[in-house]
Amino acid sequence: MVRRDGPSRALEFEHHGGGRFTVHLLTPDLHPDHPLATGRGRARLNLAAPERRAVRGDADGHWTLREPRA
């Protein structure tokens, strides 16, 4: 889980494994809201997400979630 405090409205998600992944935006009480991304296998995705919201990644294998560099 990642809590976002910055002004950025973008995220980069990278999944390095061959299994499934889901990235969820979380509600203020930390329950899953709508998914930002779902899939299977290796992926590099640019996601739009509101600022100051927590995000949770669930994946089989290694994954990375970061704000894009300016």
Side-chain angles (χ1 to χ4, degrees):
M1 181 172 29
V2 177
R3 182 171 180 261
R4 304 183 63 236
D5 286 326
S8 174
R9 294 186 179 270
L11 291 171
E12 290 179 356
F13 172 78
E14 189 169 359
H15 184 242
H16 307 279
R20 296 175 189 253
F21 64 84
T22 303
V23 181
H24 278 280
L25 193 60
L26 299 180
T27 63
D29 57 350
L30 302 180
H31 289 94
D33 201 344
H34 66 279
L36 297 174
T38 61
R40 183 180 193 98
R42 297 177 66 90
R44 179 179 280 169
L45 306 170
N46 292 312
L47 309 173
E51 60 186 77
R52 294 178 173 75
R53 292 281 301 270
V55 176
R56 185 179 85 194
D58 294 308
D60 297 333
H62 180 72
W63 57 276
T64 307
L65 185 67
R66 62 186 167 266
E67 290 190 355
R69 296 180 188 161

